Structure formats: C-alpha cells, structure tokens
C-alpha cells in the first residue's frame, strides 16, 4: 500500500496536467479566434515595434506578418499621420487608452488604406490594439462631401442661370416680333438662293452638255461629209466596173485558164451580187450618221442662244435620237414611241433651253415605263402593296410613250408627253416641281430637272407646265407655249 503523501502527489500532478491541457486548448481557441478576425489585432512594445500580428494584417495591407515583426508600426503609416502615433507612444504612461483614431497606412501596392485604431497599454511594457478597415467609409464620406460641394455649386449655378433665364425671357419677349419678321425674310431669301443655285447648277450642267454634244457633232461632221460625198462617186465607179465585167463576159465567154482560176477563187458571181448591196449599206450608214450629227447639232443649238422661231417637232425628234439607246428598253421589250404630230406654226423660243425641257420630261417617261417592266424603283416611290392592273399579263405589257402636239389657238401650241408607266401618288405629284425634291435613289437624281423645266416654260417663255397622274396607270405632262414672245 502506497503512502498517503505519494497518492496526494500523483493527484496533484494529474490536476496540473489537466489544467495545462485546458490552458493550451484555450490558447489554441483564442489564437484561432484572433487569426480569423476581420480586424487587425496587433501587439507592440513601448517603442512601437510590432510583436504580434494576425492574418487580417496581410489581407488588409498586403505585407506578410513575418516580414513586419520587430519593425516599427510607423514604417507603414502615412507621413502626415506618424506624428499622432509617436505622440501616443510618448504619452503611453499617462494615457492608457487610445480609441477611434483614424490613421492612413500604405498598402504594399502604394494604395492608401484608412484604419481606425483602438489601443491600450498593458504590463509589462506592451501595447495591445486593433485596426479596423474604414477605407470604404472614408471614400464614401469623401464622395459625399464632394457631391455636397458639387450640389452647392450647382444650386448656385441654377440660381444664376434662373436670373439669366428670366432676363433672357424678358429680352426674347421684347424682340419676338422682330425675330419673326427676320425669319420670314431669311426664309424668302433662302428659297430664292436655292432656286438661283438650282438654275446655275443646271445651266452649267446643260451648257457643258451642249458644248460636248456640239463638239462631238462638229468633229464627226467633217469626216462623215468626206465619206458621204465620196461614197456616191465610189458607188458609180463600182457600177461602171461591174458593167465592164458584164461586157467582158458577153464578148469573151471563154477566158484563158489563168482568168478562169481567178474567177473561181474570188467567187465572181457572189462578188457581183454582193458588192452593190455592200455599197448600198455603206451609203445608208453614212446617211444615218449624218442624221445623228444633225440631231446633235439641233439639240445643242449653241448658235441659237437668242430667241428664234423654230420647228418644235425638230427639237423633239433630236431629243428622241439622243435617247435612242434608252428607248431600246430591257428584256427585248423596246419602248414604243407614238408621234401624233399636228400642224404647228414655228414657235419663237430659246431653242436650246426648250430642248432641255423635252430631255427632262422624256427621260422621266422612260424611267416610269422601265420601272413597270423591271419592277425596280427608278423614278417615283411606289408602295409595295400596290397592285397594278394587268399584273397577271405582265408579259403582254407594251411600254409606250405618246407625244401629241396641236395648235390650240392662234396664240398657243400644246405638247403632251404621255406614258403608261407607274404613275405617282397625289402627294408626290404636288411636289414634283419643287427644287431639290426627288424620290430617286442617292446618286440617281438631284431634284432639279422638273424644277428647271418649270422655270424655263413658265418664267422664261410665259407658258404653262402641268402634270396629271394616276398611280399604276401612267403620267401626262402638258406644255403650253405662246407662238410669239412679246419681249
């Protein structure tokens, strides 16, 4: 049996072991709790050298705890806040607690981090404390302060603007009538400038076209006159030579062998039959070129810039000749031109300008019937839902332009240009003579053609230019011209 004092010693030893284990467990839990806090927990000596840091230090400032131990806290403080911390260290004996100090620290990436400091002095010679990240709050406070200052400035600006607005309103009320009158004058001036610009642009364009056409006609005229003049004589010479060959055949029916071989080689019978036809075709081609040159000269009429009595039909025919390639139509469906010419007197006019009118109206008529054939927007905008009469018989559609002239009195003549194309809506018809109005795609039209035509007929010649149209059925332009200009 053990002595009693040995039993007491063993019991005392067990109790000590258990107390040590409990203390160790408490310390482990305490360290785990400290390590997992979001706030920085630190300890330092009275000189400010760090002796303890938790993980929050690294998460907040980016520095590892190991590299910061035994270094002064003020190494990480902003220069302007170091004095506050150093003053606290010097007063640590008289001032035991330090709470709610806001200090700026340097993050490892040089960013400024605001931390709220709470600390106290403990024995023996240690300082314990925590640092709470208040950067977001400080930034919010700074932003709020900035917003308040901006708001105050804006309020002051609004006050100034309100005073200025009232003054401006008073001034505007006083000058409203004057501005209204100025606006009306400017609108009238702008309209006049647009019309003048339209005239100048179109006049320059047509003048250039006229000079080009006249130059081409002049250059072609000389060689074609030479060809046309000589082909008549050549035709006679060929006829004489053929007659001579016929005489040789009659009187020398059996030529020598060499001549017989040559006759067979050149196929003399075919040559005798085809050569007159070739000469006739060449003469017809020369005559056709002469007609084209004459049409070009008639269209340009550069030598007739002044008022002159002319044949209206001649001007229309010249324009049709120039537009002949477009009259060939599309998809082997040529445009049929019906001329219903009446007996017209010679009309006093600016012939070159009047030919421009015929060119514009006939070009638009061609566009209208080509659209009907191709179903592609060339001239006027047509809603997709429009159904034309005769769509089921599209293949039988004949694009047609009718030109009707008549003397409606001793003083006036009328020219009607009628097409069976797409027509137009009433809304569009009311605007077609306005300068720069066009429904053609960009680059296809300037909106000047009909406007200039109207000015030439009405203002320049004292006539009338009217348009009637029905969507899907066609368009008619009516020109009325005085036979004699009184000025």
């Amino acid at each position: 049996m053990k002595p009693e004092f040995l039993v007491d010693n063993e019991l005392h030893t067990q109790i000590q072991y258990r107390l040590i284990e409990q203390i160790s467990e408490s310390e482990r839990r305490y360290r785990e709790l400290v390590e997992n806090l979001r706030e920085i927990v630190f300890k330092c000596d009275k000189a400010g050298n760090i002796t303890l840091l938790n993980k929050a230090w690294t998460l907040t400032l980016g520095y590892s705890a190991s590299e910061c131990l035994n270094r002064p806290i003020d190494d990480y403080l902003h220069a302007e806040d170091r004095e506050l911390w150093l003053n606290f260290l010097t007063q640590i004996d008289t001032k035991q607690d330090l709470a709610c100090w806001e200090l700026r620290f340097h993050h490892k990436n040089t960013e400024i981090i605001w931390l709220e400091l709470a600390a106290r002095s403990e024995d023996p010679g240690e300082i314990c404390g925590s640092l709470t990240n208040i950067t977001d709050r400080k930034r919010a406070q700074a932003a709020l302060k900035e917003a308040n200052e901006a708001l105050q400035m804006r309020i002051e600006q609004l006050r100034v603007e309100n005073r200025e607005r009232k003054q401006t309103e008073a001034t505007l009320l006083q000058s409203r009538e004057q501005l209204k009158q100025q606006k009306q004058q400017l609108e009238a001036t702008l309209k006049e400038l647009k019309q003048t610009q339209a005239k100048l642009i179109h006049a320059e364009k047509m003048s250039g076209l006229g000079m080009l056409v006249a130059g081409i006609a002049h250059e072609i005229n000389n060689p074609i006159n030479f060809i046309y003049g000589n082909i008549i004589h050549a035709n006679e010479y060929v006829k004489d030579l053929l007659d001579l060959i016929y005489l040789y055949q009659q009187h020398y029916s059996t030529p020598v062998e060499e001549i017989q071989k040559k006759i067979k080689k050149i196929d003399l019978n075919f040559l005798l039959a085809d050569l007159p036809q070739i000469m006739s075709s060449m003469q017809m081609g020369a005559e056709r070129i002469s007609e084209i040159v004459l049409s070009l000269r008639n269209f340009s009429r550069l030598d007739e810039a002044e008022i002159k009595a002319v044949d209206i039909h001649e001007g229309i025919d010249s324009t049709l000749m120039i537009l002949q390639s477009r009259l060939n139509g599309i998809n082997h469906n040529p445009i049929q031109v019906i001329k219903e010419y009446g007996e017209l007197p010679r009309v006093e006019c600016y012939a070159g300008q009047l030919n421009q009118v015929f060119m514009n109206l006939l070009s638009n008529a061609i566009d209208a019937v080509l659209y009907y054939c191709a179903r592609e927007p060339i001239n006027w905008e047509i809603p997709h839902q429009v159904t034309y009469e005769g769509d089921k018989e599209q293949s039988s559609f004949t694009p047609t332009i009718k030109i009707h002239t008549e003397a409606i009195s001793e003083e006036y003549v009328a020219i009607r240009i009628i097409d069976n194309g797409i027509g137009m809506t009433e809304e569009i018809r009311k605007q077609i003579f306005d300068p720069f109005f066009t429904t053609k795609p960009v680059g296809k039209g300037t909106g000047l053609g009909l406007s200039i035509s109207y000015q030439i007929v009405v203002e320049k010649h004292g006539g009338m230019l009217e348009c009637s149209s029905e969507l899907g059925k066609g368009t008619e332009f009516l020109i009325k011209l005085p036979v004699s200009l009184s000025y």
Side-chain angles (χ1 to χ4, degrees):
M1 186 174 180
K2 292 182 180 181
E4 184 176 348
F5 74 92
L6 291 177
V7 173
D8 290 339
N9 286 338
E10 289 180 359
L11 180 62
H12 186 263
T13 301
Q14 291 177 1
I15 292 173
Q16 283 183 334
Y17 280 137
R18 288 181 182 177
L19 286 174
I20 291 172
E21 288 177 356
Q22 289 178 357
I23 292 171
S24 298
E25 179 66 18
S26 296
E27 286 183 355
R28 185 187 65 78
R29 290 181 180 179
Y30 172 76
R31 288 184 178 278
E32 183 177 351
L33 176 63
V34 169
E35 287 294 320
N36 293 325
L37 285 175
R38 294 177 61 185
E39 291 80 8
I40 298 172
V41 175
F42 72 94
K43 284 186 178 182
C44 64
D45 57 24
K46 290 187 176 182
N49 297 314
I50 300 171
T51 58
L52 174 68
L53 288 172
N54 66 346
K55 290 181 180 178
W57 173 268
T58 302
L59 295 176
T60 304
L61 297 178
Y63 302 101
S64 66
S66 59
E67 70 177 302
C68 300
L69 291 177
N70 300 318
R71 291 185 60 180
I73 287 182
D74 53 281
D75 283 356
Y76 307 99
L77 280 169
H78 191 278
E80 296 178 1
D81 292 345
R82 287 175 183 169
E83 188 176 351
L84 292 174
W85 172 253
L86 295 176
N87 287 338
F88 168 72
L89 293 178
T90 58
Q91 300 172 11
I92 192 64
D93 294 331
T94 58
K95 192 174 185 179
Q96 297 297 316
D97 294 325
L98 177 65
C100 299
W101 274 20
E102 296 176 351
L103 301 175
R104 286 168 289 179
F105 283 75
H106 288 290
H107 192 278
K108 192 172 184 177
N109 63 7
T110 71
E111 181 184 1
I112 297 299
I113 303 297
W114 282 88
L115 299 178
E116 186 177 70
L117 171 66
R120 61 175 299 168
S121 177
E122 292 186 351
D123 292 332
E126 278 192 341
I127 300 173
C128 297
S130 66
L131 295 166
T132 305
N133 192 343
I134 59 170
T135 303
D136 291 341
R137 187 181 75 191
K138 295 297 290 184
R139 289 174 179 172
Q141 289 175 348
L144 181 61
K145 181 179 179 182
E146 184 178 351
N148 286 334
E149 292 175 353
L151 180 61
Q152 291 297 326
M153 292 178 60
R154 183 56 182 159
I155 291 172
E156 187 61 29
Q157 288 177 352
L158 289 174
R159 288 175 181 170
V160 174
E161 290 174 1
N162 190 44
R163 288 195 298 268
E164 293 176 351
R165 182 179 58 82
K166 288 181 178 180
Q167 295 175 355
T168 304
E169 287 177 353
T171 304
L172 289 174
L173 289 174
Q174 293 175 1
S175 60
R176 178 178 294 176
E177 188 61 31
Q178 181 180 359
L179 290 174
K180 184 178 179 181
Q181 294 176 357
Q182 291 177 352
K183 179 183 176 183
Q184 292 173 348
Q185 292 174 357
L186 287 173
E187 286 177 349
T189 303
L190 180 60
K191 184 177 180 181
E192 184 178 351
L193 285 173
K194 283 186 176 181
Q195 292 176 351
T196 303
Q197 183 185 29
K199 291 180 182 179
L200 290 174
I201 293 173
H202 196 74
E204 183 178 356
K205 177 181 176 182
M206 295 309 297
S207 174
L209 176 61
M211 292 177 65
L212 177 63
V213 169
I216 293 173
H218 177 75
E219 292 298 325
I220 296 176
N221 192 50
N222 291 333
I224 198 58
N225 283 341
F226 173 78
I227 295 172
Y228 184 71
N230 287 312
I231 202 169
I232 296 174
H233 300 296
N235 200 12
E236 293 176 356
Y237 299 156
V238 169
K239 185 177 180 182
D240 290 341
L241 290 173
L242 292 178
D243 290 341
L244 180 61
I245 291 173
Y246 289 134
L247 286 174
Y248 268 100
Q249 287 178 334
Q250 291 176 7
H251 295 285
Y252 299 96
S253 57
T254 307
V256 297
E257 184 179 353
E258 185 177 357
I259 294 177
Q260 289 180 2
K261 289 181 179 180
K262 188 66 175 179
I263 289 173
K264 186 177 180 181
K265 183 178 180 181
I266 67 175
D267 196 356
L268 181 61
N269 291 333
F270 174 77
L271 188 149
L272 294 175
D274 193 49
L275 185 57
Q277 295 180 9
I278 292 175
M279 296 302 297
S280 177
S281 298
M282 291 174 63
Q283 185 170 357
M284 289 175 61
E287 291 174 354
R288 177 63 175 166
I289 296 174
S290 296
E291 292 175 1
I292 294 173
V293 170
L294 180 60
S295 297
L296 292 174
R297 290 171 62 87
N298 288 337
F299 178 78
S300 61
R301 291 187 181 271
L302 290 182
D303 56 341
E304 299 178 13
E306 300 300 325
I307 298 172
K308 185 177 181 180
V310 299
D311 183 355
I312 292 294
H313 296 151
E314 186 179 272
I316 296 174
D317 290 339
S318 299
T319 305
L320 289 172
M321 179 71 71
I322 294 173
L323 294 172
Q324 185 60 50
S325 62
R326 297 197 64 203
L327 292 172
N328 291 332
I330 55 176
N331 299 328
H332 307 291
N333 195 10
I335 300 172
Q336 181 179 358
V337 179
I338 300 174
K339 299 179 183 179
E340 297 178 348
Y341 288 171
E343 294 186 6
L344 299 183
R346 297 180 75 83
V347 176
E348 290 184 358
C349 64
Y350 296 92
Q353 295 184 16
L354 203 57
N355 285 343
Q356 295 175 23
V357 175
F358 296 148
M359 175 67 76
N360 289 330
L361 298 184
L362 287 170
S363 294
N364 281 344
I366 292 172
D367 286 343
V369 296
L370 288 180
Y371 174 87
Y372 204 109
C373 292
R375 286 296 189 269
E376 294 181 356
I378 297 176
N379 189 17
W380 312 113
E381 291 179 347
I382 302 298
H384 294 293
Q385 67 271 21
V386 173
T387 303
Y388 300 112
E389 296 180 3
D391 270 357
K392 295 181 180 179
E393 301 177 359
Q394 175 65 21
S395 60
S396 63
F397 171 73
T398 302
T400 305
I401 297 174
K402 183 187 294 184
I403 305 171
H404 178 88
T405 64
E406 61 178 322
I408 55 179
S409 67
E410 293 183 359
E411 292 83 14
Y412 284 90
V413 298
I415 303 103
R416 287 181 169 84
I417 298 176
I418 308 163
D419 67 71
N420 65 342
I422 60 175
M424 67 190 86
T425 63
E426 181 63 18
E427 181 181 358
I428 291 177
R429 189 197 66 79
K430 291 179 180 178
Q431 302 178 74
I432 58 174
F433 295 121
D434 293 344
F436 305 106
F437 174 78
T438 181
T439 56
K440 294 182 180 180
V442 176
K444 297 293 184 181
T446 62
L448 296 175
L450 291 178
S451 174
I452 295 297
S453 298
Y454 186 86
Q455 292 173 5
I456 290 173
V457 173
V458 177
E459 299 178 12
K460 199 76 172 180
H461 292 85
M464 293 176 58
L465 178 58
E466 298 175 348
C467 173
S468 58
S469 182
E470 186 175 352
L471 188 62
K473 292 188 176 181
T475 301
E476 175 181 343
F477 281 94
L478 170 62
I479 304 172
K480 292 182 181 179
L481 292 173
V483 176
S484 176
L485 296 179
S486 59
Y487 54 89

